[in-house]
Amino acid sequence: MKSNTVKTTPAPAAKKVAQPTAVAKKAPPRKAPVAKHAAPAPQPAAQKVAVPAESAKPKKPKLVRDSFTIPKGEYTVLESLKQRSVDLGQTARKSELLRAGIKALAAMPDQAFKAALAAVPAIKTGRPGKAK
């Protein structure tokens, strides 16, 4: 007896297309727990190396940026002092002249310092108004 069954062949497998997968975010590295009251471990004396004073770099001083108001007449004096320094062969910036003046004031005795302060009139602080 013949059977009327039809032989079916399996369909060709469909090619799987790789779909982009979500990139997992890396967690930031965890810091090792720090003991709050633990004393640092002593280092053996053989590992300590003496550094000569000449090779140690001096620390740079921290700089402070500031602005101030100065009368026009005193500003022109500052410009003439800059030119004077150029004439003497030692160029100087305004900030260097101001710092030199601060050093000169600091070196003065109290009476001379008081007289120098009295010679400078007080001015209104803040930004100057717009000229009309």
Side-chain angles (χ1 to χ4, degrees):
M1 231 172 140
K2 283 187 177 179
S3 71
N4 290 339
T5 59
V6 179
K7 243 185 184 182
T8 59
T9 58
K15 291 185 180 179
K16 291 185 178 180
V17 177
Q19 294 189 3
T21 59
V23 177
K25 292 184 180 178
K26 290 186 178 181
R30 293 186 178 200
K31 294 181 181 177
V34 178
K36 292 182 180 177
H37 299 288
Q43 299 219 351
Q47 290 182 357
K48 292 183 180 179
V49 178
V51 178
E54 293 83 25
S55 68
K57 289 185 177 179
K59 285 189 174 181
K60 288 185 179 180
K62 184 169 180 153
L63 301 178
V64 178
R65 188 157 177 85
D66 198 359
S67 63
F68 53 90
T69 305
I70 185 170
K72 183 80 170 171
E74 292 174 13
Y75 190 80
T76 56
V77 171
L78 197 56
E79 291 297 321
S80 67
L81 287 172
K82 278 179 61 175
Q83 185 58 47
R84 185 176 168 188
S85 70
V86 169
D87 294 343
L88 295 172
Q90 177 77 35
T91 59
R93 293 186 217 117
K94 285 182 278 190
S95 63
E96 292 168 339
L97 290 170
L98 292 173
R99 290 172 43 221
I102 290 169
K103 285 182 179 272
L105 287 171
M108 286 182 180
D110 289 343
Q111 289 297 84
F113 177 67
K114 188 174 179 182
L117 285 179
V120 177
I123 59 172
K124 184 178 175 182
T125 57
R127 293 191 177 270
K130 291 183 180 180
K132 291 184 180 182

